Amino acid sequence: ADIEMLERRIDRVKKALKLIYDSDYSIDRIVDEVGYVNKKQFYNVFKKKMGTTPGSYRKSVKTINPIKTIPSYNVIDEDKKW
């Protein structure tokens, strides 16, 4: 059960990374799209894994990569604690 929960969190963060990068959806909509009911919980999980908030992450990738080449989504370190 714990492994399944961890896999779901990883999948949700990966999906959120893609949506943050590829879409202009609001962060609230992305929270809904990736299946979180609680926005605060999503922010906590995202910040724990990425070291920044979803909005700050979006600003950084849009500034670094404005041409929208596909970034690597392998940023999730499986060894970090969820």
Side-chain angles (χ1 to χ4, degrees):
D2 288 338
I3 293 173
E4 290 174 7
M5 184 176 69
L6 177 62
E7 288 173 349
R8 275 196 309 273
R9 284 184 178 173
I10 291 169
D11 289 343
R12 287 176 173 178
V13 171
K14 285 181 178 180
K15 184 176 180 182
L17 289 170
K18 184 164 176 43
L19 288 171
I20 288 168
Y21 186 79
D22 290 338
S23 77
D24 290 325
Y25 292 170
S26 70
I27 300 300
D28 286 343
R29 181 169 176 185
I30 291 171
V31 171
D32 291 339
E33 292 283 329
V34 299
Y36 274 89
V37 177
N38 184 318
K39 181 179 172 181
K40 185 175 181 178
Q41 182 184 19
F42 171 76
Y43 270 71
N44 289 340
V45 169
F46 190 95
K47 188 167 185 177
K48 184 183 263 188
K49 289 308 291 176
M50 302 305 299
T52 189
T53 64
S56 293
Y57 177 79
R58 171 176 273 165
K59 287 177 188 171
S60 71
V61 296
K62 298 285 182 172
T63 301
I64 293 168
N65 198 359
I67 303 172
K68 283 201 161 201
T69 57
I70 303 299
S72 169
Y73 294 113
N74 295 328
V75 294
I76 298 176
D77 181 356
E78 304 295 336
D79 295 331
K80 289 187 180 177
K81 295 193 187 305
W82 285 89

